[in-house]
Amino acid sequence: MALAAVVFDLDGTLLDHPAATLAGLRGWVGSLGLECTAEVEAAWAAAEERHFRAWREGEIGFAEQRRRRLRDVLPLLGLSAGDDAALDALFTEGFLRAYERAWVAYDDVGDALEAVRAAGLRTAVLTNGPREQQNAKIDAMGLTGRLGPVLTAEELGVAKPRPAAFLAVCERLGVIPGQVLYVGDEHAVDVLGARAAGLRAVHLDRTGTGPAGEDARIGTLLELAAHLAADPARPA
């Protein structure tokens, strides 16, 4: 079956989310006149993972996962949490603004998109997160107009790794799942989720810490062209 499209994850795949998160955290904490210690950084990363997963699985709302991250970390900074309104304001005017200023694409994105274009394949983005924010990231990276449709969990009403999210992007592109290659950095969410929906998938393992048994793995998007060329079902 000939490949027709490559669909990308956004955070950690196209956008350097880890670096932006760390810069945002340090910028926010520093603006409070406090020290962003290794303990605080580790606690923030753990809180983001735990509470974002709870949102992704439908257990809590998007705003609530942000509040819970603050509730976990503020005591380490010697600060009280306050009510929901106070937490929302603190997240938006504190961490979020600093995080947004640090949005940048990985330096391998441009070449990867050119390789996909040269292969005659369509592109799209499927990302967990709010529509306005995720599209703002695309714009901040200078990728507006260089990618196909951007589909978010918010507008779909379903998040990765649920098959319905992956099937929705296939429907939007007008192709069947087996004609789509999904590229993402989270193995369980992106790679296994895509395969469960019938898509092909490759793990973008930038840190080299992915599952040892994963054969479809690239360490950088610069390797995507070779991966496409090696696909026995690539377009003629």
Side-chain angles (χ1 to χ4, degrees):
M1 184 180 299
L3 193 63
V6 176
V7 177
F8 294 93
D9 168 54
L10 179 53
D11 295 307
T13 298
L14 302 179
L15 180 114
D16 192 346
H17 174 72
T21 297
L22 188 57
L25 180 65
R26 289 174 174 174
W28 166 53
V29 172
S31 73
L32 299 174
L34 300 171
E35 181 184 3
C36 190
T37 64
E39 180 186 17
V40 170
E41 292 173 2
W44 185 267
E48 179 184 33
E49 169 62 25
R50 179 167 59 256
H51 300 308
F52 194 81
R53 182 175 62 247
W55 167 78
R56 190 178 68 220
E57 295 175 356
E59 298 173 4
I60 57 176
F62 194 78
E64 179 60 21
Q65 63 90 18
R66 288 177 166 179
R67 296 175 193 133
R68 291 188 181 188
R69 287 153 67 179
L70 288 175
R71 291 189 188 108
D72 284 358
V73 173
L74 287 175
L76 298 177
L77 296 170
L79 301 174
S80 59
D83 60 16
D84 285 356
L87 288 172
D88 291 344
L90 183 59
F91 192 97
T92 299
E93 300 304 324
F95 169 76
L96 186 59
R97 293 294 174 257
Y99 169 61
E100 290 172 346
R101 289 192 293 270
W103 286 346
V104 65
Y106 287 102
D107 59 11
D108 54 9
V109 171
D111 288 341
L113 294 180
E114 177 58 27
V116 174
R117 186 202 64 78
L121 303 173
R122 300 171 64 188
T123 60
V125 173
L126 175 63
T127 171
N128 287 340
R131 182 176 184 274
E132 183 177 357
Q133 183 184 64
Q134 300 305 78
N135 278 281
K137 290 175 181 176
I138 297 290
D139 189 54
M141 291 187 290
L143 297 180
T144 300
R146 297 188 63 190
L147 290 161
V150 178
L151 279 70
T152 69
E154 181 185 53
E155 62 188 305
L156 294 175
V158 62
K160 301 178 296 181
R162 290 183 174 84
F166 295 96
L167 295 177
V169 73
C170 295
E171 182 177 358
R172 177 70 174 273
L173 290 171
V175 297
I176 62 176
Q179 293 178 295
V180 177
L181 176 70
Y182 193 83
V183 182
D185 67 300
E186 292 192 71
H187 191 264
V189 174
D190 295 319
V191 178
L192 299 186
R195 289 173 182 163
L199 286 71
R200 290 181 252 182
V202 60
H203 184 208
L204 176 58
D205 186 11
R206 294 186 181 277
T207 62
T209 57
E214 177 57 62
D215 293 327
R217 178 203 312 268
I218 55 178
T220 167
L221 288 177
L222 296 177
E223 298 174 32
L224 184 58
H227 183 85
L228 293 173
D231 189 329
R234 67 186 184 277

